Structures are given as structure tokens and as C-alpha cells.
Amino acid sequence: MERKTVKGLALFTAAATALVVVPATGASAAPGADTAGAAKITWGQCESPGLQRRGAECGLLDVPLDYSKPNGKKIQIAVSRIKAKVAAKDYQGVMLVNPGGPGGSGLTLSVLGEYVPNGAGQAYDWIGFDPRGVGSSVPALSCDNDYFNGPRPEYIPWNQSIEKTWLDRSKNYAKACGKAGGALLDHMTTVDSVNDMESIRKSLGASQINFYGFSYGTYLGQVYGTLHPKQVRRMVLDGNVDVRKVWYQANLDQDVNFERNERIWFDWVAKYDSVYHLGKTGTEVQLRWYAEQNKLRSKPAGGVVGADEFADIFLYAGYYQSTWLELAEAFAGWANDKNTDLIVAAYENYVAPGDDNGFAVYNAVQCTDTQWPQSWNTWERDNWRTFLKAPFMTWDNAWYNAPCLFWPGKVSKPVKVDGSKVQSVLFVGTTLDAATPFEGSLEARRRFPNSALLAEVGQTTHANSLNGNECVDNVIADYLATGKLPARKQGDKADATCDPLPQPDPTEVSLQAKSLRADSSAVRAPLYPVHH
């Protein structure tokens, strides 16, 4: 499951993903018997400079708003393609990619093939797409672009006034989405997106697809494999959703796992107290962090970064080790020097307020995939209990999901995931993943008997494949090249393991660290899209 797609970033490129469509050639794939008469994509030039440099094609695919009425109203899915670079005899088919969310834009993810080692990605046509309601797909759902502008009301409902404020905000947001989304909100479930994947397959004339899914994308993959097992050739699913817990319990579980990861980061900051001067133990750093957050309750930094925004920025330390250096610099710059420019820049880069498309789609999918508890008393009880163990994220997460109490879209029932008929899946997971705890990868392995699980042991980074760990990435490359999975072991455990890369060392990048403190523009958002 994914988190914070309002803060989401396109994987590997920050380029815009709007489309400029002009006539071009059709799809290259072996036609399947069930693809005759399928809607076609008119391929043209992509607006994204990164995609243009790679010779990608972009287009829009007409799909039914409601698949029970295939001849009814149509919406459009934005699709990109980077073609295979091998001889026809070596061609391995189409590879659809999803970055997660729900609500993450995947249009630029057709570049992912170039990050597969040993040229193994070159044998596939890589297909990026914006799921329905997202980004360049038409219509794109947006309800209130000002919803995340800071400073916002206190997250923790210490009194009934705060609680009422957030319940009202959540209700009003859901109401705004009802007005903005209309009929679309009744057709935003995971199954709807799986049906769109089938439409993309048919439009490309492919009898089967390959699929690479990160985080929430692993849920798309598991549901696709359940509903269309014969259409699955190979799948790599990284950061696996626990299908037993969609979506209410999954969020409560995240809170506890993020608490662990934030404390791991606090310990790391303390290890380098000579650099950051924030405390010599993890506990001292943690207390310093809460002390600084408390000051921001009454006087937000730059009039923008209050207690909520401060928490949102540093939540990223629990997601990605690639953010640790920059976040430590932002923390030290604020706590020691009151560097307002640096902390505000961190908020603008990591939280990216001003566009609620990801947040709107996140709710539209999760609130209608399954029925959430309809009594606020249940939410209140469960979140206070969790808060006692995990104060860092619990109420932030509760209010992030609270529009589901009031969501106007038609609620569905989750698919019972059964992967017994799928012939090949490589599951990947990091054992200290907070957004999609590792138990979800073990459960996925149980449900897909023809799969193997690759674990990066002791790594906190979420959905970490194709991100520089040669051990992990080479297993994936071998699988994509040959279809061979690691041998399945007996018992409830990973079939292959890799050690994590070392944690970052700020003493090795001291000049960069000093420049970060001096130049707030150097604060950059993480490489991967943010997951919930």
C-alpha cells in the first residue's frame, strides 16, 4: 500500500507528463486472439523531455468508464512506450509498469528498462501509464489544490475542537471530490485499473503482459494475476501489499513500522553528532526533534512549516535512506541555525503542496476498494491505541485517510487474491520496509505457489529494487532475461537474500553537506514516488 502520493514524484524523471499527440506507428507485439477489434492508441510525441530524449512515444487510449457498460461513456488512459532494442527473435514482449500510490503517475516509468542491469531490459517494450484519474489521463481528478498548504491544524486531537476541525476538513474534502469527480468516483477501484491494464494489453495486440509493480502496484499485480492468470508472463512485484489488510488495518500497521524506522534514523543522526550536533544518542535526537516540532506549533517557520508540516518532511526518513543526509541537514539547519529557507525548501520539495491529484486518487481508490469502518468511534479507539506505541505518524495517517468516512463513491469488495494459476512471479521486499511491511511479501509468496521471494535483509528503504544494490538488481535482471526464479525453499521465508548497501556516511560527503546547509535549493525530493 502506498503513502503520501500528494508528495509523489515521477520515478527517475521530474519532467512534465502532459501529452502532445500526433499520428505515428502502431504497436509491435504478437497479436492475441482476444485483441481483435480492441481500441488502438494513436502514438505521437511525448511532452516530457526525458521521454523525448529516449525516443518514447505517447498516446491516449479510450477505455470504458464502467466496464459493465463497454459501449457507454469513455475516459482516456495516458500511455507511453519505449520500444525494445533487440532483434525480433530476442523480443520478450510488453512490460507494463506502475509506481504505486494509488495515485502515482507512471507515464514516465517506461524509462525503467534502462535501469535493469546487463541490458536485460532492452528485450521488452516498456509501457508506462497514468492510471485512471491520474496525471495526463482524462479526466484527472483534483478536488482542492489548497488542501495541503501549511500551516494546517494540529494533527493530534488533544481536544474535541481539533477533532471536529479535522473531521470537518475531511468531510468537506470528500464533498469537493464528489462534486469534481461525479460518476468517475464510482469506477476508481483497483479492479477498474486492472481492467484498464487489460485494455492496454489488447490495444498493443499482446497475448500476455509482463508487469513491474512497486508498492500499491504490487496489489495491482496480485489482483491482475487473480483475474487474468493466463495473461501473466512474468511479474516483478516490489514492496508487497498484504492483501489481508486492505486498507484500514494496513494503515495502522504502517504507523508502528514507521515509528521503528524513524528511530533507526534518529540513532543514525546521533552516530554523527560531530556533524549534526543534535544529540549523542537516538533518544536525545528524538527529544530534540519533538522539542523543535513543539516550538513550531505556535510559530511556524516562514509562516508555512508548522508542527504538521515538520512531521510530513521527516516522515521521508522512514521511507528512503537516500533522504537521510538531506533531512539531517534540514533538521540541523533549522534546530541549530534557525535556517528558515532550508526548512521551507524541504517542505516544498518533499511535501510538494499545491497539487492534490495524487491524494484525490489515493482516496478514490482506497475508499471504494473496500468498506472502511463507518463509525468514528472505531477510528478514534484504534488510532489512540496505536498512538501510544507509535506517536510519530499515527494521527497524520489517520487524517490522511479520514475522507473515507465520508467518501461519496460506490464501495466495492476486495478481490480474494489467489495466485495458484499464475506461472511466474518474482516478489521483492526489504525486511524493514515501513510502507509495505515485509509480512506482506511473505503472504504474497504463500498465495502464489509458482513464485519466489527475494529479500534485502536489514534495509529500511521502501520498494528498493533497481536502485543500486547489485545483488538485488542482478537477480531481477536474470529473471527478466531467462524467466528463471531463485529456487523455492521449504518453509515460510525468503527464497533468496541480499545484504543491504551501507547506510550513508556524512563524513564522506562533508563538502556536499556544508553546501546543503548554505544552499536551500540543494534539498531534493527522493528518487522514488512516495508510498503509503
Side-chain angles (χ1 to χ4, degrees):
M1 182 185 59
E2 312 247 329
R3 156 69 169 165
K4 306 295 187 194
T5 49
V6 70
K7 308 167 184 177
L9 302 159
L11 181 57
F12 299 120
T13 175
T17 57
L19 298 169
V20 177
V21 179
V22 295
T25 58
S28 59
D34 63 343
T35 64
K40 299 299 181 183
I41 302 169
T42 300
W43 294 105
Q45 181 175 309
C46 303
E47 185 171 303
S48 159
L51 290 179
Q52 287 182 21
R53 286 195 302 272
R54 293 167 171 87
E57 303 166 299
C58 288
L60 293 167
L61 174 64
D62 289 344
V63 301
L65 171 67
D66 180 353
Y67 276 89
S68 70
K69 300 175 181 177
N71 297 318
K73 183 178 180 180
K74 298 295 193 291
I75 60 174
Q76 293 179 308
I77 305 298
V79 184
S80 70
R81 177 176 64 182
I82 296 180
K83 288 186 177 182
K85 298 176 176 63
V86 295
K89 66 182 178 62
D90 298 318
Y91 177 65
Q92 301 247 31
V94 300
M95 175 76 74
L96 276 64
V97 194
N98 181 270
S105 169
L107 192 62
T108 58
L109 266 183
S110 51
V111 306
L112 189 62
E114 68 189 62
Y115 293 88
V116 181
N118 309 320
Q122 295 184 7
Y124 295 85
D125 289 340
W126 289 81
I127 310 298
F129 66 100
D130 280 351
R132 56 175 53 205
V134 174
S136 295
S137 290
V138 183
L141 181 63
S142 181
C143 312
D144 179 1
N145 280 329
D146 295 328
Y147 194 71
F148 286 91
N149 290 346
R152 286 161 293 147
E154 164 76 45
Y155 278 144
I156 304 171
W158 301 115
N159 55 54
Q160 288 187 339
S161 176
I162 297 173
E163 181 178 274
K164 184 179 185 303
T165 296
W166 272 106
L167 287 171
D168 287 346
R169 277 175 61 89
S170 300
K171 184 176 183 179
N172 290 336
Y173 187 81
K175 184 178 180 180
C177 285
K179 183 177 180 180
L184 179 66
L185 295 197
D186 290 335
H187 307 286
M188 285 293 293
T189 66
T190 296
V191 172
D192 288 310
S193 286
V194 164
N195 289 335
D196 292 340
M197 290 168 61
E198 266 292 90
S199 293
I200 294 171
R201 177 186 69 80
K202 292 175 181 178
S203 76
L204 297 173
S207 59
Q208 291 183 306
I209 66 166
N210 306 277
F211 180 65
Y212 205 125
F214 298 92
S215 198
Y216 166 76
T218 69
Y219 188 55
L220 278 176
Q222 292 182 66
V223 173
Y224 185 92
T226 299
L227 299 179
H228 306 286
K230 293 182 179 180
Q231 277 65 56
V232 175
R233 183 174 178 267
R234 295 173 190 165
M235 287 202 293
V236 180
L237 302 181
D238 181 10
N240 292 281
V241 168
D242 192 330
V243 300
R244 300 167 299 180
K245 300 181 178 183
V246 293
W247 290 113
Y248 180 73
Q249 185 60 45
N251 279 276
L252 294 170
D253 288 353
Q254 283 184 336
D255 299 337
V256 176
N257 284 274
F258 270 102
E259 186 73 22
R260 176 201 64 215
N261 283 11
E262 295 295 335
R263 292 183 182 185
I264 290 172
W265 182 66
F266 289 143
D267 288 341
W268 174 85
V269 173
K271 179 180 178 181
Y272 296 104
D273 184 58
S274 61
V275 176
Y276 300 119
H277 311 295
L278 292 166
K280 296 182 183 299
T281 67
T283 299
E284 288 181 1
V285 175
Q286 183 178 20
L287 291 173
R288 182 70 182 275
W289 189 90
Y290 279 108
E292 294 300 330
Q293 184 193 38
N294 192 48
K295 295 175 187 175
L296 293 169
R297 285 187 165 91
S298 57
K299 189 176 180 181
V304 173
V305 179
D308 292 3
E309 292 72 34
F310 198 67
D312 286 349
I313 293 166
F314 292 98
L315 178 61
Y316 282 80
Y319 275 113
Y320 308 110
Q321 286 189 12
S322 62
T323 69
W324 283 13
L325 292 167
E326 292 169 345
L327 290 177
E329 281 297 316
F331 182 12
W334 173 252
N336 297 327
D337 305 329
K338 290 299 175 282
N339 188 326
T340 300
D341 290 344
L342 190 61
I343 200 69
V344 171
Y347 172 61
E348 291 174 348
N349 280 275
Y350 282 86
V351 182
D355 180 1
D356 75 320
N357 175 239
F359 180 62
V361 173
Y362 170 90
N363 280 279
V365 174
Q366 293 209 354
C367 298
T368 58
D369 259 352
T370 186
Q371 182 64 65
W372 289 60
Q374 294 179 285
S375 167
W376 172 245
N377 289 338
T378 300
W379 291 59
E380 188 174 35
R381 178 198 67 213
D382 291 342
N383 280 281
W384 275 120
R385 285 177 178 174
T386 305
F387 177 81
L388 294 176
K389 298 179 291 184
F392 189 93
M393 175 181 170
T394 296
W395 280 107
D396 170 356
N397 207 13
W399 297 124
Y400 199 86
N401 292 282
C404 288
L405 274 165
F406 311 101
W407 200 255
K410 182 181 177 181
V411 175
S412 184
K413 292 184 178 179
V415 170
K416 184 177 181 180
V417 169
D418 177 359
S420 60
K421 296 181 180 178
V422 176
Q423 294 304 305
S424 182
V425 185
L426 177 61
F427 294 111
V428 185
T430 61
T431 59
L432 298 180
D433 190 327
T436 50
F438 188 66
E439 176 60 30
S441 291
L442 291 173
E443 178 64 16
R445 179 182 180 272
R446 296 176 199 124
R447 293 183 183 232
F448 287 76
N450 299 314
S451 70
L453 170 58
L454 171 63
E456 188 177 359
V457 180
Q459 173 62 259
T460 60
T461 294
H462 172 54
N464 197 39
S465 63
L466 303 186
N467 205 23
N469 187 321
E470 290 185 6
C471 175
V472 172
D473 297 349
N474 284 335
V475 172
I476 293 168
D478 289 347
Y479 171 62
L480 294 183
T482 68
K484 185 178 180 180
L485 291 165
R488 187 152 170 131
K489 295 181 177 178
Q490 289 188 339
D492 192 33
K493 58 186 176 182
D495 302 296
T497 59
C498 291
D499 293 330
L501 296 178
Q503 293 178 347
D505 183 348
T507 64
E508 295 181 356
V509 288
S510 56
L511 292 177
Q512 176 188 351
K514 289 177 182 177
S515 69
L516 276 170
R517 184 176 295 187
D519 180 8
S520 63
S521 67
V523 177
R524 297 180 301 277
L527 184 65
Y528 281 84
V530 176
H531 300 303
H532 188 2

